[in-house]
Amino acid sequence: MLLELFLAMFLGILCGIVTGLVPGIHVNLVSVLLISFSAVLLTYTSPIVLAVFIIALAITHTFLDAIPSIYLGAPTEAQALNVLPGHRLLLKGLGHNAIVYTVIGALGSLLLSILLFPFFIFSMKKLSPIVSAMVGYLLIGVMVYMILKDKGKRLKALVVFLLSGALGLLVFSIPNLKQPLFPLLSGLFGFSILIESLRQKSFIPKQKNAPLSLSKKNLAKSVSAASGMGFVAAFLPGFGSAQAAIVATNVVGDIGDEGFLTLVGGINTANVLISIAAAYVLDKARNGAIVAVKDLIGGIGFQEMLIFVGVALVAGGVAALLTIYLSKVFAKYIVKINYTILLLGIIIFITLLTFYFDSFIGLAILLTATAIGLATSAFGVGKNHLMGCLILPVILYFIL
């Protein structure tokens, strides 16, 4: 059995590399496929082995998905806010450093969350009903604060938030979409930046081997905030990594691009890990990968929880090394490619992938989202207001 578990973890890490690096292939998609073929697979192995595969896959994915977000501008929900600061560092020749900051956040949050795991288990059941009643109003307060911070542009910031929020509500109301977030986030955050780069004829400079500039203070603030908000996101329905990132950035204040990348890099990893505790304590899964695990094994007991935490620790350590290595490969070769051709290639690839997943409806979402993203750039307001596409539906979920 021990050999099977190690093999499953190894295969999960390999699969996590693929889902992390290839835009549009998400952990949830692989998990659903695994559940679909579970009847056949379970004739050869046990449910716990398949569950270990999913945990290793999910943890590895949270490290690797920073690479396409920063180097290619193809964000997932968890990495959407990282696109702009990551792109800024990339155009300064510090793309690899941007990836390292996300790895520091992911690994730091993973280790801190494991240390705090007993506290999370103890407090989760007591805090769940209290925090659930407050989340909608907390998010309203955060968004009002963010809009008021844009002095001289408050009306434009409000318009951006409401436009993206309305688009989010519309997208989530359309039935049978295979990948609703892919065209939505690619348009709002990815395409708008890629098109601006094309318009300005930007180019990727030679990537530098520069020292990191993340202060110990900002590191501590980022990792602790990531673990704390990952904890909240792990047991609240509808409150995901993106919403947690918005709240966390307003809690920690100005921590610079480096601290921000560390913060956002850590939240999703902490969320996956702490979701294991939520499934154990509350018997509820708030994360797609953990939903698949519960479907396989029926419920997470104490022994299964310990196995999954151990797998997460090992997979996280391996994924950190893999991400740093692959980032160096990207940094070395991306400057050898004509940047205009690269941008056009990414735009065509994401467009084709959107059409493959959701046909003309997906293309309509992508086009509309891109228009809103470009309008945001023209207004000169922060792209964080575009998170209204996810924040507004969650606010309405909690307060209505």
Side-chain angles (χ1 to χ4, degrees):
M1 172 63 81
L2 190 61
L3 181 61
E4 283 186 88
L5 293 177
F6 272 106
L7 180 60
M9 182 174 65
F10 174 73
L11 292 174
I13 291 170
L14 289 180
C15 193
I17 296 172
V18 176
T19 63
L21 293 180
V22 181
I25 302 180
H26 195 267
V27 173
N28 293 349
L29 178 63
V30 178
S31 298
V32 168
L33 289 174
L34 189 71
I35 295 296
S36 301
F37 291 102
S38 61
V40 176
L41 294 171
L42 289 173
T43 61
Y44 299 99
T45 187
S46 64
I48 189 72
V49 171
L50 297 181
V52 163
F53 170 86
I54 293 174
I55 296 294
L57 160 66
I59 290 291
T60 303
H61 178 94
T62 65
F63 283 78
L64 271 295
D65 67 347
I67 290 179
S69 296
I70 290 171
Y71 284 109
L72 305 179
T76 60
E77 176 192 355
Q79 293 288 340
L81 289 174
N82 266 349
V83 172
L84 190 57
H87 196 69
R88 279 197 294 263
L89 291 181
L90 178 68
L91 295 181
K92 292 178 182 177
L94 299 173
H96 177 64
N97 282 22
I99 297 295
V100 173
Y101 295 133
T102 68
V103 171
I104 290 172
L107 190 58
S109 298
L110 179 65
L111 296 173
L112 181 59
S113 297
I114 289 175
L115 288 174
L116 295 176
F117 217 72
F119 166 76
F120 293 149
I121 290 173
F122 175 77
S123 59
M124 197 169 282
K125 186 170 284 188
K126 294 183 179 180
L127 288 176
S128 181
I130 299 171
V131 179
S132 294
M134 296 170 52
V135 166
Y137 301 100
L138 174 64
L139 287 175
I140 291 174
V142 167
M143 294 313 303
V144 169
Y145 172 73
M146 285 173 56
I147 290 168
L148 292 178
K149 265 203 328 182
D150 265 333
K151 294 180 181 178
K153 299 177 182 177
R154 290 168 180 165
L155 180 59
K156 292 178 180 178
L158 177 62
V159 169
V160 167
F161 174 74
L162 293 176
L163 280 175
S164 61
L167 180 60
L169 288 170
L170 177 63
V171 169
F172 293 128
S173 68
I174 299 174
N176 301 322
L177 285 180
K178 293 178 182 177
Q179 294 280 354
L181 288 178
F182 185 68
L184 178 64
L185 297 178
S186 293
L188 290 173
F189 295 94
F191 268 31
S192 56
I193 292 174
L194 297 178
I195 291 171
E196 281 294 313
S197 295
L198 278 174
R199 188 179 66 83
Q200 296 169 9
K201 298 182 179 178
S202 302
F203 69 95
I204 298 180
K206 184 177 179 180
Q207 298 299 293
K208 306 170 188 174
N209 187 17
L212 300 177
S213 57
L214 180 65
S215 69
K216 292 181 181 179
K217 180 181 177 182
N218 284 345
L219 171 62
K221 289 167 69 174
S222 300
V223 170
S224 56
S227 300
M229 293 313 302
F231 165 64
V232 175
F235 69 88
L236 289 182
F239 188 80
S241 297
Q243 294 87 346
I246 287 286
V247 175
T249 51
N250 284 277
V251 170
V252 298
D254 184 14
I255 52 177
D257 284 347
E258 297 81 8
F260 187 83
L261 288 162
T262 305
L263 170 65
V264 178
I267 286 178
N268 203 37
T269 305
N271 180 16
V272 173
L273 179 75
I274 302 167
S275 292
I276 298 170
Y280 170 67
V281 176
L282 305 175
D283 196 32
K284 294 179 181 178
R286 307 300 189 200
N287 178 284
I290 307 301
V291 170
V293 168
K294 281 186 87 274
D295 285 347
L296 282 168
I297 64 177
I300 296 178
F302 184 74
Q303 184 177 1
E304 289 84 6
M305 182 186 68
L306 291 180
I307 292 172
F308 295 155
V309 171
V311 168
L313 180 60
V314 175
V318 174
L321 296 174
L322 285 170
T323 304
I324 291 172
Y325 170 75
L326 290 171
S327 173
K328 288 180 179 178
V329 173
F330 267 75
K332 179 180 178 180
Y333 289 104
I334 198 168
V335 295
K336 297 181 180 181
I337 303 171
N338 183 297
Y339 192 43
T340 299
I341 294 174
L342 177 64
L343 292 179
L344 290 171
I346 294 167
I347 289 171
I348 292 169
F349 174 71
I350 293 176
T351 302
L352 292 175
L353 208 56
T354 297
F355 183 77
Y356 171 76
F357 285 132
D358 291 304
S359 189
F360 290 104
I361 296 177
L363 292 180
I365 294 168
L366 181 65
L367 184 63
T368 306
T370 301
I372 295 173
L374 290 172
T376 303
S377 298
F379 288 163
V381 299
K383 285 190 178 291
N384 54 339
H385 299 299
L386 291 170
M387 291 307 293
C389 68
L390 300 176
I391 297 288
L392 187 58
V394 173
I395 289 173
L396 297 178
Y397 172 88
F398 277 104
I399 67 175
L400 294 182

